[in-house]
């Protein structure tokens, strides 16, 4: 499938990432369908997209007409069997079998030409594709949070990915206004492999009581970073960040430099997932 053939895009998962990707898809003029089994997640996605667009209007980056057109381009569904599109982008939890199960269902109900893209930030595309009937149409399309603002998209080909599909996916990301970069299929790809130590080392400093969360964030931000590691983990989702770390730790054969933190494990166990839950390393209530 070529870029000119793409008219509709489906998004699996109505969380922060999924709703952000859907917004970019709809802004680019595509008929966009967001799927989630939870109705409340779909309601939150509607609200989030509308708020993001309002902020865009306030900053002079989005017009009222663009907002209305964007919202008209998005529909919301809670039945997976209704999710049929030219491109489907999965944005769910970082669990290999969950992703395989979703794509296995989607490839049965969609055209053989449909591009299946995963937003995984750490699981090798080849591993996901190995569980599918048609791994040649699976590609990695890794957006960064918040997806409606962050410009970078990593496009990753698995061992079986058709090169034409990877090129079309790169062109699609660019049409959404992103800077697309081709990456090799390796755990964490480029950015997450490098950035993992930003989080892991910061957590080690906290574990060793060298400094607390807020002190570490202030020091990092004063050195030029827009956001410190703990504020950023709260924004991304402490649970999501933890899942990525665990996945990479396992994928790199338990290399100690990727070892997850007990502090982060405790936060996840307590349900302190960051901004989305109202409490993470900081309190947002």
């Amino acid at each position: 499938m070529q870029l000119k053939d793409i008219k509709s895009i489906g998004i699996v998962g109505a969380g922060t990432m999924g709703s952000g990707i859907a917004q970019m898809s709809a802004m680019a003029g595509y008929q966009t369908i967001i799927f989630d089994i939870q109705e409340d997640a779909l309601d939150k996605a509607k609200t989030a997209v509308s708020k993001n667009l309002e902020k865009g209007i306030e900053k002079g980056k989005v017009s009222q007409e663009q907002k209305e057109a964007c919202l008209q381009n998005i529909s919301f569904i809670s039945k997976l069997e209704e999710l049929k599109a030219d491109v489907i982008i999965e944005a769910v939890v970082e669990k290999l079998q969950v992703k395989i199960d979703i794509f296995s269902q989607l490839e049965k109900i969609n055209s053989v030409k449909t591009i299946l893209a995963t937003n995984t930030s750490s699981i090798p595309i080849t591993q996901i594709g190995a569980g599918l009937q048609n791994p040649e149409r699976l590609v990695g399309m890794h957006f960064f949070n918040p997806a409606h603002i962050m410009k970078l998209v990593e496009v990753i080909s698995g061992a079986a990915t058709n090169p034409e599909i990877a090129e079309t996916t790169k062109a699609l990301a660019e049409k959404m206004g992103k800077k697309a970069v081709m990456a090799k299929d390796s755990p964490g790809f480029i950015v997450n492999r490098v950035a993992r130590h930003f989080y892991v080392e910061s957590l080690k400093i906290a574990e060793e009581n060298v400094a607390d969360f807020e002190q570490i964030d202030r020091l990092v931000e004063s050195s030029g970073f827009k956001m410190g590691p703990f504020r950023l983990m709260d924004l991304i989702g402490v649970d999501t960040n933890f899942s990525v770390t665990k996945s990479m730790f396992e994928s790199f054969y338990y290399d100690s430099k990727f070892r997850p933190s007990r502090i982060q494990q405790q936060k996840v166990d307590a349900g302190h997932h960051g901004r989305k839950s109202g409490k993470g390393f900081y309190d947002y209530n």
Side-chain angles (χ1 to χ4, degrees), residues 4 40 44 49-50 67-68 79 100-101 106 125 132 192 200 208 217 226 229 253 261 269 277-278:
K4 63 182 177 60
D40 63 333
K44 288 179 180 177
V49 172
S50 184
K67 174 189 173 181
E68 292 172 2
K79 294 180 180 178
I100 291 174
D101 290 345
L106 289 171
I125 309 306
L132 305 183
N192 260 308
V200 170
E208 295 167 8
D217 276 346
K226 188 173 182 179
Y253 302 101
S261 165
D269 291 344
S277 68

Side-chain angles (χ1 to χ4, degrees), residues 231-244:
R231 295 189 204 282
L232 186 53
M233 282 187 277
D234 275 359
L235 174 64
I236 293 168
V238 180
D239 54 332
T240 300
N241 188 279
F242 184 57
S243 292
V244 172

Side-chain angles (χ1 to χ4, degrees), residues 16 35 48 50 175 197 199 210 216 227 232 244 263-264 268 282:
T16 303
F35 159 78
S50 184
K175 187 172 180 182
H197 307 298
Y199 306 115
V210 175
I216 296 167
M227 192 175 289
L232 186 53
V244 172
I263 291 176
Q264 204 171 15
V268 173
Y282 294 91

